[in-house]
């Protein structure tokens, strides 16, 4: 059986991020288009139990590399396994989540396999039966390019929320991969893994984002955004000026030198809307802008604008939303 | 320690993007170019390491058109010692990384630094490729770095937190915003940079693995709807979000 398509399913302790399931679903769609099979790879310690879940999203086969020593991420060790899986299954399309680790692995695989790599893809098409064309953003999304590949193996990392995770349940075959320990490599060693933000989901995966800018006046005032975001099950973001002022950590920054996000709802509070910010959020499904200045550029991209003082409007909004929920 | 910093000349982030006549690139007329912002963090980090390890040298390496000497000059004005320009153009990160790695392999580096991505193609892969071609360990998106004689301890940003990663030298590290505050160039620095050497070379490029078939603009967003003024507009906004947008 041909497994033209292979997906690396990066796991969390207790399952898979939505963006990984999106990649598996896209792999399923491509496999159907090509009349091929889809293989997913899981790597880690205690990951065997997670494998069947990938069948729910369309994997025909799950390769499981499970070992105590794989409990911490090792770029070389993980890459060895993926390289072996790709070679064993003669796969020609490799998909990964565009996470920081996914991107590290993708670049390594690209160099080792002399395979073209398109990062942060937002669309993938099969043209003329076999040719893969990937669409990816440039200039933080101010432009898009279609890229074709000149290599037999084609690697793509998929931008979170650009693809849809949909169930295509089947009983996936599970195959264990022998894990050869690192052969005396002196690669990077993770000494500690620190979680910040109380385990909240990353901005790029969030469905609702409430962001604040210069109009927030200080870091403490972000509490009113936190309250609103918490109520909606969302997370808080920030503009570059709020980050530069030291009110929020850089990991909260939305925009050209921060994160590009596309939630279902983006609420911009006290953000004027410089182009570098707009490119980071204008693929959001719905944008709400709250700003004192009726001429702020943010209103040009907002589906719903309120001209007013955010310190009046946001608490009222929280109140109204709370009433609606109860 | 010899520190190599790879830099790229990129359009300023405020550039308005217009599609070129061939439909495969942006229209470059009137575009202002700057040193890639993420590379600035890499340059700054290299300079601060140099200040702590006497006898260190910071070499700026770039692949690009001849105007890239200006970009290299910016890094020299910040305090780097000399530059090397590989005069060539390619939009394929694999090809660029291969040429950079070929050059670096002859330089005996103690450390290679570069920005996590260039803000033009946003590819975020040259660092990883360079490291793999050189057979050196790689840590991406670092937000903190401590260097000793033979090893580095870096914080690598990750979704939801960061990893503390220890890595032996030489290695390749890519810089994320937050690593440091790049210094401003001074008039003295600019004057001194004019006397610093930039060697120009013509690299042999490998076969492209990627080919751009079309560059296009995203569909414009139709926004601009004002619901009302002040908190009086809140009930109507909530109604719209619930009934029209179907989110609340």
């Amino acid at each position: 059986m041909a497994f033209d398509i292979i997906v690396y399913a990066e796991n969390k302790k207790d399952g898979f991020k939505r963006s990984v399931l999106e990649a598996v679903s896209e792999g399923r769609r491509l496999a159907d288009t090509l009349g091929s099979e889809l293989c997913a790879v899981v790597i880690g310690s205690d990951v065997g139990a997670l494998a069947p879940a990938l069948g729910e999203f369309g994997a025909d086969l799950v390769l499981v590399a499970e070992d105590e020593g794989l409990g911490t991420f090792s770029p070389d060790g993980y890459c060895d396994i993926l390289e072996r899986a790709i070679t064993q299954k003669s796969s020609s399309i490799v998909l990964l989540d565009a996470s920081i680790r996914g991107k590290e692995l993708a670049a390594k695989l690209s160099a080792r396999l002399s395979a073209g790599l398109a990062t942060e893809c937002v669309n993938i098409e099969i043209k003329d039966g076999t040719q893969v064309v990937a669409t990816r953003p440039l200039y933080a999304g101010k432009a898009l390019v279609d890229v074709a590949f000149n290599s037999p193996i084609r690697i793509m990392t998929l931008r979170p929320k650009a693809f849809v995770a949909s169930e295509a349940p089947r009983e996936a075959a599970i195959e264990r991969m022998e894990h050869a320990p690192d052969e005396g490599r002196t690669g990077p060693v993770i000494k500690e893994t620190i979680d910040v933000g109380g385990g909240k989901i990353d901005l790029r995966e969030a469905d609702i984002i409430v962001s604040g800018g210069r109009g927030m006046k200080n870091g403490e005032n972000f509490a009113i955004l936190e309250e609103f975001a918490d109520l909606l099950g969302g997370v808080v973001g920030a503009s570059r000026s709020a980050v530069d002022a030291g009110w929020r950590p850089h990991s909260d920054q939305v925009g050209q030198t921060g994160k590009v996000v596309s939630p279902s709802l983006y609420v911009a509070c006290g953000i004027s809307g410089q182009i570098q910010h707009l490119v980071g959020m204008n693929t959001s499904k719905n944008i709400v802008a709250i700003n004192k200045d009726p001429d702020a550029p943010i209103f040009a991209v907002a589906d719903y604008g309120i001209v007013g003082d955010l310190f009046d409007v946001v608490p009222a909004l929280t109140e109204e939303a709370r009433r609606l929920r109860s | 320690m010899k520190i190599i910093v790879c830099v790229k000349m990129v359009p300023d982030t405020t550039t308005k993007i217009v599609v070129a006549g061939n439909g495969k690139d942006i229209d470059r007329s009137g575009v202002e170019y700057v040193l890639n912002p993420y590379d600035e963090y890499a340059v700054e980090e290299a300079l601060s390491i140099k200040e702590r390890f006497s006898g260190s040298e910071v070499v700026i390496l770039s692949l690009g058109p001849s105007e890239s000497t200006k970009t290299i000059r910016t890094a020299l004005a910040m305090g780097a010692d000399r530059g090397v320009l590989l005069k060539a153009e390619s939009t394929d990160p694999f090809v660029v990384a291969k040429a950079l790695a070929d050059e670096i392999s002859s330089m005996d580096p103690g450390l290679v630094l570069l920005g996590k991505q260039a803000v033009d193609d946003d590819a975020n892969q040259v660092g990883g490729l360079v490291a793999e071609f050189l057979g050196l360990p790689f840590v991406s998106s670092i937000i903190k770095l401590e260097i000793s004689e033979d090893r580095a301890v870096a914080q690598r940003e990750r979704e939801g937190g960061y990893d503390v990663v220890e890595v032996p030298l030489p290695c390749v590290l890519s810089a994320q915003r937050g690593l440091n505050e790049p210094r401003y160039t001074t008039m003295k620095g600019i004057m001194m940079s004019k006397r610093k050497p930039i060697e120009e070379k013509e690299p042999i490029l490998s076969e492209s693995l990627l080919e751009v078939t079309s560059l296009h603009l995203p569909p414009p967003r139709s926004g601009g709807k004002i619901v009302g003024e002040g908190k009086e507009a809140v009930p109507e906004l909530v109604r719209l979000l619930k009934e029209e947008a179907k989110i609340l």
Side-chain angles (χ1 to χ4, degrees), chain B residues 1-7 38-61 75 78-82 110-115 142 145 147 173 175 179-183:
Chain B
M1 190 183 310
K2 186 191 272 182
I3 307 166
I4 317 292
V5 186
C6 304
V7 304
Y38 292 108
D39 297 341
E40 267 185 61
Y41 303 119
V43 174
E44 174 59 41
E45 201 60 24
L47 296 175
S48 76
I49 295 167
K50 184 187 161 170
E51 285 159 5
R52 278 173 282 147
F53 292 85
S54 60
S56 295
E57 184 189 29
V58 177
V59 185
I60 305 299
L61 173 64
M78 287 170 73
D81 298 294
R82 62 184 175 92
L111 178 64
V112 180
L113 287 164
L114 73 178
I142 64 164
L145 178 64
I147 290 271
L173 304 173
L179 180 62
N180 54 43
E181 273 304 320
R183 64 195 67 190

Side-chain angles (χ1 to χ4, degrees), chain A residues 237-260:
Chain A
S239 73
R240 177 167 185 160
S241 15
V243 171
D244 281 348
W247 302 340
R248 301 297 292 186
H250 171 251
S251 52
D252 282 0
Q253 187 186 321
V254 172
Q256 188 147 19
T257 50
K259 287 173 179 151
V260 176

